[in-house]
Amino acid sequence: MSDWTRDRRRDASTEREYRTSGHARWSHCRKRGIDGSLRANRETDGETEKRGHTDRSHPDNRQDSFTTPESAGPMSRCGRQADWGSQVEDDEMRRDVHRDMQRYRRRILGAEVTQRERKTSSGSSGSCDSKEGENIETDETVLLRRQKQINYGKNTLAYDRYIKEVPKHMRQPGIHPKTPNKFRKYSRRSWDQQIKLWKVKLHAWDPPAEEGPDKVLDNIDELDLDDVMDIELDFPTLSESQNAPASLSTHSLSLEAEDCSGTPVKVQKTETTTEPDMA
Amino acid sequence: VFRLLPPRMDNSAEDYRIQSFDLDTQVLLKTALKDPSSVNLEKVSNIIMDQSLKDQVFSKEAGRICYTIVQAEAKQSNGNVFRRNLLNRLQQEFKDREETRSRSLQEWVCYVTFICNIFDYLKVNNMPMVALVHPVFDCLMRLAQPDALMNEEEVDCLVLQLHRIGEQLEKVNSQRMDELFFLLRDGFLLQEGLTSMARLLLLEILEFRAGGWLLSSTAHKYYYSEISD
């Protein structure tokens, strides 16, 4: 099975866990309905089914909103999509990823040059040579998979509301969710965790969340995940990346060690505890 | 003597050639251009597709209105409902093309004109849509078959598409273009029963490609001007 279908399976089982009788838990937060068109209001699933799609019946009783936002319906299990719509979208994503990579490389090279200049002028001999440039994730399969995961997170009403409410320059590390950097080398597990935690943080902006960001963060504090949240999501920006990469890698290594037993359970706890708030 | 009209580049509503639609549909289309998320884009794409199969004038330039709607939707809501639906309709019709051809030459020719126009206008990051390359070639190869060359409207359609997108197609797949032109040479030389118009069209396209998708001025004079005796 390709990585991509494995991901979808995982998303699928996560969705099933949170579904109450016949109503997908966060369907009202989805920006798009099953047919890909925007959902303008917070209508119930019943209404949505009346509009638009009527003929499509899922063989296994899934809710319409179960389907991932971008697709128009259940996707075939085979790796390469046969329909032209999907082919063109995949093609477009591939090109976007490559273009992003070129831009990222340019940014890194620019930052590296600046750092070198600083070092020589200040006379310091930093132990950390910023090897960002050599440490970029370039595997296309990985990048595309990561981009898809990021797209799922960005294709939500929560994300829309978040970026409108908090412009980039006002974002505080640790408090405001930050999109994981797909070009950094991370283990598969580490990356998937980052995505999960990022999405959890984004849920604070779910409509019609009256409580806002604070309530959710309090819950997370109770679960003692402070360290995890700070380290996992607090990527230094490129301009401050002198020492951070070294410390970042050791922290994530120690987390990796704990991973095998602890983290999945912790993450599950996070999501179930925040559930009532989402009602 | 025939003339090929160059495409117009201004943006007036007439250029979308939507005058052939009834007034309500015209309003719908104009709204789709300005405010795509307020209309049912799946319905709009079906309307455009259906009309393209019937109206040859429309199918020649329908790509432009499609392009504008795609751009508008992407800009307004980052969606591509319209494009996705359009492409999947195109794919459906492509699957049934042989049946369409035997049922109605006119519809078949309209389809080819439309899909080539879409190929021309709907680019992804300024590159042609890879998914359409082979289907387009398949259609053109079909038009170059002996039975198709016997029909002037099919030959006419074939050379029109090659004039418009031949160069682009060759860039993305020169091997298939070579194959196509083997067929065209054979057709021109060996096909019995071709009308003189069909032979003229074929000769012109052979010269056109040989000249790097350009016709020399003398050749242009030969094909496009009245030559006084």
Side-chain angles (χ1 to χ4, degrees), chain A residues 186-235:
Chain A
Y186 295 109
S187 71
R188 177 67 189 269
R189 173 176 261 134
S190 167
W191 171 264
D192 287 348
Q193 261 185 68
Q194 290 175 44
I195 288 283
K196 268 201 179 109
L197 294 170
W198 171 63
K199 281 166 142 183
V200 164
K201 270 192 162 175
L202 281 175
H203 276 306
W205 276 266
D206 272 343
E210 258 79 53
E211 290 90 28
D214 303 327
K215 193 78 191 275
V216 176
L217 286 175
D218 285 343
N219 292 334
I220 289 171
D221 286 343
E222 281 164 20
L223 292 169
D224 215 22
L225 284 177
D226 269 2
D227 291 343
V228 173
M229 297 299 267
D230 284 345
I231 289 154
E232 288 294 309
L233 293 178
D234 221 353
F235 313 128

Short mmCIF file of all heavy atoms in Angstrom, two decimals, chain A residues 186-235:
data_model
loop_
_atom_site.label_atom_id
_atom_site.label_comp_id
_atom_site.label_asym_id
_atom_site.label_seq_id
_atom_site.Cartn_x
_atom_site.Cartn_y
_atom_site.Cartn_z
N TYR A 186 12.73 15.12 9.17
CA TYR A 186 12.16 14.57 10.39
C TYR A 186 11.85 13.12 10.14
O TYR A 186 11.62 12.71 8.99
CB TYR A 186 10.84 15.26 10.75
CG TYR A 186 10.94 16.72 11.09
CD1 TYR A 186 10.43 17.68 10.22
CD2 TYR A 186 11.51 17.14 12.28
CE1 TYR A 186 10.51 19.02 10.53
CE2 TYR A 186 11.59 18.48 12.58
CZ TYR A 186 11.09 19.42 11.71
OH TYR A 186 11.16 20.74 12.01
N SER A 187 11.77 12.38 11.22
CA SER A 187 11.32 11.00 11.05
C SER A 187 9.84 11.04 10.73
O SER A 187 9.14 12.02 11.01
CB SER A 187 11.55 10.21 12.34
OG SER A 187 10.63 10.65 13.32
N ARG A 188 9.34 9.98 10.19
CA ARG A 188 7.94 9.89 9.84
C ARG A 188 7.05 10.14 11.04
O ARG A 188 6.09 10.90 11.02
CB ARG A 188 7.65 8.52 9.24
CG ARG A 188 6.21 8.26 8.90
CD ARG A 188 5.75 9.13 7.76
NE ARG A 188 4.31 9.03 7.56
CZ ARG A 188 3.74 8.15 6.74
NH1 ARG A 188 4.49 7.31 6.06
NH2 ARG A 188 2.43 8.12 6.63
N ARG A 189 7.40 9.50 12.15
CA ARG A 189 6.60 9.62 13.36
C ARG A 189 6.63 11.05 13.89
O ARG A 189 5.61 11.60 14.28
CB ARG A 189 7.11 8.65 14.41
CG ARG A 189 6.41 8.87 15.76
CD ARG A 189 6.86 7.85 16.77
NE ARG A 189 5.89 6.78 16.89
CZ ARG A 189 6.21 5.49 16.90
NH1 ARG A 189 7.46 5.13 16.76
NH2 ARG A 189 5.28 4.58 17.02
N SER A 190 7.82 11.62 13.89
CA SER A 190 7.97 12.98 14.39
C SER A 190 7.10 13.93 13.57
O SER A 190 6.37 14.77 14.10
CB SER A 190 9.43 13.40 14.33
OG SER A 190 9.54 14.79 14.53
N TRP A 191 7.17 13.80 12.28
CA TRP A 191 6.39 14.66 11.41
C TRP A 191 4.90 14.48 11.65
O TRP A 191 4.16 15.45 11.79
CB TRP A 191 6.72 14.38 9.94
CG TRP A 191 5.79 15.10 9.02
CD1 TRP A 191 4.67 14.60 8.44
CD2 TRP A 191 5.87 16.46 8.62
NE1 TRP A 191 4.03 15.58 7.70
CE2 TRP A 191 4.76 16.73 7.79
CE3 TRP A 191 6.78 17.49 8.88
CZ2 TRP A 191 4.53 17.97 7.22
CZ3 TRP A 191 6.55 18.74 8.30
CH2 TRP A 191 5.43 18.97 7.48
N ASP A 192 4.45 13.25 11.70
CA ASP A 192 3.02 12.99 11.87
C ASP A 192 2.52 13.58 13.19
O ASP A 192 1.41 14.10 13.28
CB ASP A 192 2.73 11.49 11.82
CG ASP A 192 2.84 10.94 10.39
OD1 ASP A 192 2.91 11.76 9.45
OD2 ASP A 192 2.87 9.71 10.23
N GLN A 193 3.37 13.49 14.21
CA GLN A 193 3.01 14.09 15.51
C GLN A 193 2.85 15.60 15.39
O GLN A 193 1.92 16.20 15.92
CB GLN A 193 4.13 13.84 16.50
CG GLN A 193 3.91 12.70 17.43
CD GLN A 193 5.03 12.67 18.42
OE1 GLN A 193 5.14 13.56 19.23
NE2 GLN A 193 5.88 11.68 18.32
N GLN A 194 3.83 16.21 14.71
CA GLN A 194 3.78 17.67 14.55
C GLN A 194 2.49 18.08 13.87
O GLN A 194 1.87 19.07 14.27
CB GLN A 194 4.98 18.15 13.73
CG GLN A 194 6.30 18.04 14.44
CD GLN A 194 7.43 18.43 13.53
OE1 GLN A 194 7.34 19.42 12.81
NE2 GLN A 194 8.50 17.65 13.52
N ILE A 195 2.12 17.34 12.87
CA ILE A 195 0.89 17.66 12.14
C ILE A 195 -0.31 17.53 13.08
O ILE A 195 -1.18 18.40 13.12
CB ILE A 195 0.71 16.73 10.92
CG1 ILE A 195 1.71 17.09 9.83
CG2 ILE A 195 -0.70 16.81 10.38
CD1 ILE A 195 1.37 18.32 9.02
N LYS A 196 -0.35 16.44 13.83
CA LYS A 196 -1.47 16.22 14.76
C LYS A 196 -1.58 17.37 15.75
O LYS A 196 -2.65 17.92 15.97
CB LYS A 196 -1.28 14.91 15.52
CG LYS A 196 -1.91 13.72 14.88
CD LYS A 196 -2.14 12.59 15.89
CE LYS A 196 -2.80 11.40 15.21
NZ LYS A 196 -1.90 10.24 15.07
N LEU A 197 -0.47 17.71 16.34
CA LEU A 197 -0.47 18.77 17.35
C LEU A 197 -0.83 20.12 16.73
O LEU A 197 -1.54 20.92 17.34
CB LEU A 197 0.91 18.84 18.03
CG LEU A 197 1.26 17.60 18.86
CD1 LEU A 197 2.72 17.66 19.29
CD2 LEU A 197 0.37 17.50 20.07
N TRP A 198 -0.36 20.35 15.55
CA TRP A 198 -0.67 21.59 14.85
C TRP A 198 -2.18 21.68 14.62
O TRP A 198 -2.80 22.71 14.90
CB TRP A 198 0.09 21.61 13.52
CG TRP A 198 -0.25 22.70 12.56
CD1 TRP A 198 -0.09 24.04 12.74
CD2 TRP A 198 -0.76 22.54 11.25
NE1 TRP A 198 -0.47 24.73 11.62
CE2 TRP A 198 -0.89 23.82 10.68
CE3 TRP A 198 -1.12 21.42 10.47
CZ2 TRP A 198 -1.37 24.03 9.37
CZ3 TRP A 198 -1.59 21.64 9.19
CH2 TRP A 198 -1.72 22.94 8.65
N LYS A 199 -2.76 20.56 14.18
CA LYS A 199 -4.20 20.57 13.93
C LYS A 199 -5.00 20.73 15.22
O LYS A 199 -6.03 21.42 15.24
CB LYS A 199 -4.62 19.27 13.24
CG LYS A 199 -4.31 19.26 11.76
CD LYS A 199 -4.43 17.86 11.21
CE LYS A 199 -5.03 17.84 9.84
NZ LYS A 199 -5.19 16.46 9.37
N VAL A 200 -4.53 20.12 16.27
CA VAL A 200 -5.21 20.27 17.55
C VAL A 200 -5.23 21.74 17.95
O VAL A 200 -6.25 22.28 18.37
CB VAL A 200 -4.50 19.42 18.64
CG1 VAL A 200 -4.94 19.86 20.02
CG2 VAL A 200 -4.81 17.96 18.43
N LYS A 201 -4.08 22.37 17.79
CA LYS A 201 -4.00 23.79 18.13
C LYS A 201 -4.94 24.62 17.26
O LYS A 201 -5.56 25.56 17.72
CB LYS A 201 -2.56 24.30 17.96
CG LYS A 201 -1.72 24.17 19.21
CD LYS A 201 -0.41 24.94 19.08
CE LYS A 201 0.19 25.18 20.45
NZ LYS A 201 1.51 25.81 20.37
N LEU A 202 -5.03 24.25 16.00
CA LEU A 202 -5.89 25.01 15.09
C LEU A 202 -7.36 24.90 15.47
O LEU A 202 -8.14 25.81 15.25
CB LEU A 202 -5.71 24.51 13.65
CG LEU A 202 -4.47 25.02 12.91
CD1 LEU A 202 -4.37 24.34 11.55
CD2 LEU A 202 -4.52 26.53 12.72
N HIS A 203 -7.73 23.76 16.08
CA HIS A 203 -9.13 23.56 16.45
C HIS A 203 -9.64 24.64 17.39
O HIS A 203 -10.85 24.81 17.52
CB HIS A 203 -9.33 22.17 17.07
CG HIS A 203 -9.49 21.11 16.04
ND1 HIS A 203 -10.44 21.18 15.04
CD2 HIS A 203 -8.83 19.95 15.85
CE1 HIS A 203 -10.34 20.10 14.28
NE2 HIS A 203 -9.38 19.33 14.74
N ALA A 204 -8.74 25.31 18.04
CA ALA A 204 -9.15 26.41 18.92
C ALA A 204 -9.90 27.48 18.15
O ALA A 204 -10.69 28.24 18.71
CB ALA A 204 -7.93 27.00 19.60
N TRP A 205 -9.70 27.54 16.85
CA TRP A 205 -10.36 28.56 16.04
C TRP A 205 -11.55 27.99 15.29
O TRP A 205 -12.10 28.63 14.41
CB TRP A 205 -9.35 29.17 15.05
CG TRP A 205 -8.54 30.26 15.66
CD1 TRP A 205 -8.78 31.59 15.62
CD2 TRP A 205 -7.33 30.08 16.41
NE1 TRP A 205 -7.81 32.27 16.29
CE2 TRP A 205 -6.91 31.37 16.78
CE3 TRP A 205 -6.58 28.98 16.82
CZ2 TRP A 205 -5.76 31.60 17.54
CZ3 TRP A 205 -5.43 29.20 17.57
CH2 TRP A 205 -5.04 30.49 17.93
N ASP A 206 -11.98 26.80 15.69
CA ASP A 206 -13.16 26.21 15.06
C ASP A 206 -14.38 27.08 15.28
O ASP A 206 -14.58 27.60 16.37
CB ASP A 206 -13.46 24.84 15.67
CG ASP A 206 -12.69 23.74 14.96
OD1 ASP A 206 -12.22 23.98 13.84
OD2 ASP A 206 -12.59 22.65 15.54
N PRO A 207 -15.22 27.22 14.30
CA PRO A 207 -16.50 27.85 14.56
C PRO A 207 -17.43 26.86 15.23
O PRO A 207 -17.32 25.65 14.96
CB PRO A 207 -17.00 28.18 13.15
CG PRO A 207 -16.39 27.14 12.30
CD PRO A 207 -15.07 26.77 12.92
N PRO A 208 -18.36 27.27 16.05
CA PRO A 208 -18.50 28.63 16.57
C PRO A 208 -17.85 28.74 17.94
O PRO A 208 -18.48 29.09 18.90
CB PRO A 208 -20.00 28.79 16.69
CG PRO A 208 -20.50 27.39 16.98
CD PRO A 208 -19.45 26.42 16.56
N ALA A 209 -16.59 28.35 18.02
CA ALA A 209 -15.88 28.29 19.31
C ALA A 209 -15.94 29.61 20.03
O ALA A 209 -15.12 30.49 19.80
CB ALA A 209 -14.44 27.86 19.07
N GLU A 210 -16.92 29.72 20.96
CA GLU A 210 -17.04 30.97 21.73
C GLU A 210 -15.86 31.15 22.65
O GLU A 210 -15.39 32.24 22.88
CB GLU A 210 -18.33 30.95 22.58
CG GLU A 210 -19.45 31.77 21.96
CD GLU A 210 -20.13 31.02 20.84
OE1 GLU A 210 -20.55 29.87 21.09
OE2 GLU A 210 -20.20 31.55 19.73
N GLU A 211 -15.38 30.03 23.20
CA GLU A 211 -14.32 30.10 24.21
C GLU A 211 -13.02 30.64 23.64
O GLU A 211 -12.24 31.25 24.32
CB GLU A 211 -14.05 28.72 24.81
CG GLU A 211 -15.17 28.20 25.70
CD GLU A 211 -16.19 27.40 24.90
OE1 GLU A 211 -15.78 26.83 23.87
OE2 GLU A 211 -17.34 27.37 25.27
N GLY A 212 -12.78 30.37 22.37
CA GLY A 212 -11.54 30.89 21.80
C GLY A 212 -10.33 30.04 22.17
O GLY A 212 -10.46 28.95 22.71
N PRO A 213 -9.14 30.52 21.93
CA PRO A 213 -7.93 29.72 22.09
C PRO A 213 -7.64 29.30 23.53
O PRO A 213 -7.17 28.21 23.76
CB PRO A 213 -6.82 30.61 21.56
CG PRO A 213 -7.42 31.94 21.34
CD PRO A 213 -8.90 31.83 21.37
N ASP A 214 -7.98 30.14 24.50
CA ASP A 214 -7.50 29.89 25.87
C ASP A 214 -7.98 28.57 26.44
O ASP A 214 -7.21 27.85 27.05
CB ASP A 214 -7.96 31.03 26.78
CG ASP A 214 -7.46 32.36 26.26
OD1 ASP A 214 -6.37 32.36 25.69
OD2 ASP A 214 -8.17 33.36 26.42
N LYS A 215 -9.24 28.28 26.25
CA LYS A 215 -9.83 27.09 26.86
C LYS A 215 -9.05 25.84 26.47
O LYS A 215 -8.71 25.00 27.27
CB LYS A 215 -11.29 26.96 26.41
CG LYS A 215 -12.11 25.96 27.19
CD LYS A 215 -12.56 26.50 28.55
CE LYS A 215 -13.15 25.38 29.39
NZ LYS A 215 -14.58 25.18 29.08
N VAL A 216 -8.78 25.73 25.20
CA VAL A 216 -8.09 24.54 24.71
C VAL A 216 -6.70 24.44 25.29
O VAL A 216 -6.24 23.39 25.69
CB VAL A 216 -8.03 24.55 23.17
CG1 VAL A 216 -7.25 23.37 22.66
CG2 VAL A 216 -9.43 24.54 22.60
N LEU A 217 -6.03 25.57 25.36
CA LEU A 217 -4.66 25.54 25.87
C LEU A 217 -4.64 25.17 27.34
O LEU A 217 -3.73 24.50 27.80
CB LEU A 217 -3.99 26.90 25.66
CG LEU A 217 -3.60 27.16 24.21
CD1 LEU A 217 -3.04 28.57 24.06
CD2 LEU A 217 -2.56 26.16 23.75
N ASP A 218 -5.64 25.60 28.09
CA ASP A 218 -5.70 25.20 29.50
C ASP A 218 -5.75 23.68 29.61
O ASP A 218 -5.04 23.08 30.40
CB ASP A 218 -6.94 25.80 30.16
CG ASP A 218 -6.75 27.29 30.41
OD1 ASP A 218 -5.59 27.73 30.37
OD2 ASP A 218 -7.74 27.99 30.63
N ASN A 219 -6.60 23.10 28.82
CA ASN A 219 -6.71 21.64 28.86
C ASN A 219 -5.38 20.99 28.57
O ASN A 219 -5.00 20.03 29.19
CB ASN A 219 -7.75 21.16 27.84
CG ASN A 219 -9.13 21.57 28.24
OD1 ASN A 219 -9.39 21.75 29.42
ND2 ASN A 219 -10.00 21.73 27.28
N ILE A 220 -4.67 21.56 27.60
CA ILE A 220 -3.39 20.95 27.22
C ILE A 220 -2.40 21.08 28.38
O ILE A 220 -1.64 20.17 28.66
CB ILE A 220 -2.85 21.61 25.94
CG1 ILE A 220 -3.72 21.18 24.78
CG2 ILE A 220 -1.41 21.26 25.69
CD1 ILE A 220 -3.46 21.89 23.50
N ASP A 221 -2.47 22.20 29.07
CA ASP A 221 -1.58 22.36 30.23
C ASP A 221 -1.86 21.28 31.26
O ASP A 221 -0.94 20.70 31.82
CB ASP A 221 -1.80 23.74 30.87
CG ASP A 221 -1.20 24.85 30.03
OD1 ASP A 221 -0.36 24.51 29.16
OD2 ASP A 221 -1.54 26.01 30.23
N GLU A 222 -3.13 21.03 31.48
CA GLU A 222 -3.49 20.00 32.45
C GLU A 222 -2.85 18.68 32.10
O GLU A 222 -2.49 17.90 32.96
CB GLU A 222 -5.01 19.83 32.48
CG GLU A 222 -5.70 20.91 33.30
CD GLU A 222 -7.19 20.95 33.01
OE1 GLU A 222 -7.72 19.93 32.48
OE2 GLU A 222 -7.81 21.97 33.29
N LEU A 223 -2.76 18.42 30.83
CA LEU A 223 -2.19 17.15 30.41
C LEU A 223 -0.68 17.18 30.41
O LEU A 223 -0.04 16.22 30.04
CB LEU A 223 -2.69 16.78 29.01
CG LEU A 223 -4.18 16.46 28.94
CD1 LEU A 223 -4.61 16.38 27.50
CD2 LEU A 223 -4.45 15.15 29.65
N ASP A 224 -0.10 18.30 30.81
CA ASP A 224 1.34 18.37 30.99
C ASP A 224 2.10 18.17 29.68
O ASP A 224 3.14 17.54 29.65
CB ASP A 224 1.76 17.30 32.00
CG ASP A 224 2.91 17.81 32.84
OD1 ASP A 224 3.06 19.05 32.92
OD2 ASP A 224 3.67 16.99 33.37
N LEU A 225 1.55 18.70 28.63
CA LEU A 225 2.23 18.53 27.34
C LEU A 225 3.02 19.77 26.96
O LEU A 225 3.42 19.93 25.82
CB LEU A 225 1.20 18.24 26.24
CG LEU A 225 0.63 16.83 26.23
CD1 LEU A 225 -0.43 16.69 25.16
CD2 LEU A 225 1.73 15.82 26.00
N ASP A 226 3.22 20.67 27.92
CA ASP A 226 3.93 21.92 27.63
C ASP A 226 5.20 21.69 26.86
O ASP A 226 5.42 22.28 25.82
CB ASP A 226 4.28 22.62 28.95
CG ASP A 226 3.17 23.57 29.35
OD1 ASP A 226 2.17 23.64 28.64
OD2 ASP A 226 3.35 24.23 30.37
N ASP A 227 6.05 20.81 27.41
CA ASP A 227 7.34 20.59 26.77
C ASP A 227 7.18 20.15 25.34
O ASP A 227 7.85 20.64 24.45
CB ASP A 227 8.12 19.51 27.54
CG ASP A 227 8.54 20.03 28.90
OD1 ASP A 227 8.51 21.26 29.08
OD2 ASP A 227 8.88 19.21 29.76
N VAL A 228 6.30 19.23 25.16
CA VAL A 228 6.09 18.69 23.81
C VAL A 228 5.68 19.80 22.87
O VAL A 228 6.22 19.98 21.79
CB VAL A 228 5.02 17.59 23.83
CG1 VAL A 228 4.68 17.17 22.42
CG2 VAL A 228 5.50 16.41 24.63
N MET A 229 4.70 20.60 23.30
CA MET A 229 4.18 21.65 22.43
C MET A 229 5.28 22.64 22.09
O MET A 229 5.45 23.01 20.95
CB MET A 229 3.04 22.39 23.13
CG MET A 229 1.86 21.50 23.43
SD MET A 229 1.16 20.83 21.93
CE MET A 229 -0.07 22.04 21.61
N ASP A 230 6.03 23.07 23.10
CA ASP A 230 7.04 24.08 22.83
C ASP A 230 8.09 23.58 21.87
O ASP A 230 8.46 24.25 20.93
CB ASP A 230 7.72 24.49 24.15
CG ASP A 230 6.81 25.41 24.95
OD1 ASP A 230 5.84 25.91 24.36
OD2 ASP A 230 7.07 25.59 26.12
N ILE A 231 8.56 22.39 22.11
CA ILE A 231 9.67 21.93 21.30
C ILE A 231 9.20 21.54 19.91
O ILE A 231 9.81 21.91 18.93
CB ILE A 231 10.36 20.74 21.97
CG1 ILE A 231 11.12 21.24 23.20
CG2 ILE A 231 11.32 20.07 21.00
CD1 ILE A 231 11.31 20.20 24.24
N GLU A 232 8.15 20.84 19.85
CA GLU A 232 7.75 20.32 18.55
C GLU A 232 7.42 21.42 17.56
O GLU A 232 7.72 21.32 16.40
CB GLU A 232 6.53 19.41 18.70
CG GLU A 232 6.87 18.08 19.36
CD GLU A 232 7.79 17.23 18.50
OE1 GLU A 232 7.47 17.04 17.33
OE2 GLU A 232 8.82 16.79 18.99
N LEU A 233 6.77 22.48 18.05
CA LEU A 233 6.25 23.45 17.09
C LEU A 233 7.07 24.73 17.01
O LEU A 233 6.84 25.56 16.18
CB LEU A 233 4.81 23.82 17.45
CG LEU A 233 3.85 22.68 17.27
CD1 LEU A 233 2.46 23.10 17.68
CD2 LEU A 233 3.83 22.22 15.84
N ASP A 234 8.02 24.84 17.91
CA ASP A 234 8.70 26.12 17.96
C ASP A 234 9.91 26.15 17.07
O ASP A 234 11.03 26.17 17.52
CB ASP A 234 9.12 26.39 19.41
CG ASP A 234 8.88 27.83 19.75
OD1 ASP A 234 8.53 28.59 18.82
OD2 ASP A 234 9.04 28.17 20.91
N PHE A 235 9.71 26.11 15.80
CA PHE A 235 10.85 26.15 14.90
C PHE A 235 11.44 27.53 14.93
O PHE A 235 10.74 28.51 14.83
CB PHE A 235 10.44 25.87 13.46
CG PHE A 235 9.54 24.70 13.34
CD1 PHE A 235 8.36 24.81 12.65
CD2 PHE A 235 9.86 23.49 13.92
CE1 PHE A 235 7.51 23.74 12.51
CE2 PHE A 235 9.01 22.41 13.81
CZ PHE A 235 7.84 22.54 13.10
#
